[in-house]
Amino acid sequence: MNSRSSSESPKLRRILERAARLIFEKGFDGTSMQDIADACGLTKAGLYHHVATKEALLIAIMEYGMDLFEEVVLARVEHIADPLERLRRTMANNIELVLTDSSKEVTIILHEHQTLTGDAQKKINGRKKRYVRFLEDSFKQAMSRGQIRKVDPTLASFSFLGSVLWTYKWYRADGRLSPQQLSEGTIDLFFNGLMP
Amino acid sequence: MNSRSSSESPKLRRILERAARLIFEKGFDGTSMQDIADACGLTKAGLYHHVATKEALLIAIMEYGMDLFEEVVLARVEHIADPLERLRRTMANNIELVLTDSSKEVTIILHEHQTLTGDAQKKINGRKKRYVRFLEDSFKQAMSRGQIRKVDPTLASFSFLGSVLWTYKWYRADGRLSPQQLSEGTIDLFFNGLMP
């Protein structure tokens, strides 16, 4: 399965989202293909039509997580000429993605699961690294325009990612802060630290 | 097993650190008590002398993680009267803990593992919440003294935690940044965003 196929089939997307939720709740080893088929209203044969093995399913979840990220975050900001505005929009879009209920567990598995090995891991890590480089380049451009003070671009990139990705660990939609307050507050806190 | 016992026995500490490393590498379900006994140079009976079940072992790892945190982070900063200085020292100590090789996997399991349920989970979550309240109170005090600008104390606390805890995901000791550069850079970036 390649990354295009998961983006193109709404049915496969739903399977991956439900499988991610189960794996998040019960652990990868504690979840059987039968459990996943049941949760999707499929027979086991029906599920195997979409994914050949449980390992392939895990890879497909991570690739779907990266597809989603590239589609709703990266593709919508890459064209923004102003590097500081580009970074702010990237953070807003990424926080929004992390808070999206339907794909929340897909994102968690993408960033926390250790099981992946070999070529599949290299491919996913390569796509993650592309995001880090995009952030680093944007920080460097913002520095050279004098929009932000001089900081280490790698450190700034990972602090950015920490602020964004940690939100799925603690944010509760039924809590005191609205998603908008969370997003605006995080952006404000982070970028204020960069002002010249 | 209570939290005091794990702090008081160096032998148990070593068992928990090695078990955490194995569980991190192979997954909780993929790691047997025999694997853990082997890694510790113990017989299985010897291991069972220290922990009654694999579930109890996981709980003990998390309690040890909280013990360590309270010992090397919280206990060393709670007495600092100046709230901003208290927060800066807390971040420095917490980053140092997260980068400590011997207990790195203990910390990761404390913050990522989902398997814990019931009373054990409540107890660990209670100890984590105490840290969040300590941070929130310190931010409120720093605000009321005019040391930092007005921000949401909950949001500031979780951004603080995100900056600190995300480091174990990406920081490599053999990379370009020294631990000191990482620590100073993260503190600078975060607290500069809070200046009035």
Side-chain angles (χ1 to χ4, degrees), chain A residues 1-37:
Chain A
M1 173 173 318
N2 63 43
S3 53
R4 293 185 61 81
S5 66
S6 68
S7 305
E8 284 162 12
S9 157
K11 192 170 178 182
L12 182 56
R13 283 182 175 225
R14 264 198 314 278
I15 292 172
L16 297 176
E17 286 166 8
R18 284 179 191 180
R21 193 156 303 167
L22 272 183
I23 291 170
F24 175 70
E25 282 163 10
K26 303 171 65 169
F28 183 68
D29 296 307
T31 306
S32 69
M33 288 296 266
Q34 185 66 59
D35 295 335
I36 293 164

Side-chain angles (χ1 to χ4, degrees), chain A residues 17-75:
Chain A
E17 286 166 8
R18 284 179 191 180
R21 193 156 303 167
L22 272 183
I23 291 170
F24 175 70
E25 282 163 10
K26 303 171 65 169
F28 183 68
D29 296 307
T31 306
S32 69
M33 288 296 266
Q34 185 66 59
D35 295 335
I36 293 164
D38 289 347
C40 300
L42 290 170
T43 61
K44 231 167 125 175
L47 177 59
Y48 278 113
H49 173 73
H50 293 281
V51 281
T53 64
K54 214 168 79 169
E55 173 83 23
L57 177 75
L58 185 62
I59 295 171
I61 290 171
M62 294 196 178
E63 290 189 338
Y64 173 44
M66 285 303 313
D67 289 351
L68 259 183
F69 163 75
E70 288 171 5
E71 181 187 321
V72 308
V73 180
L74 217 47

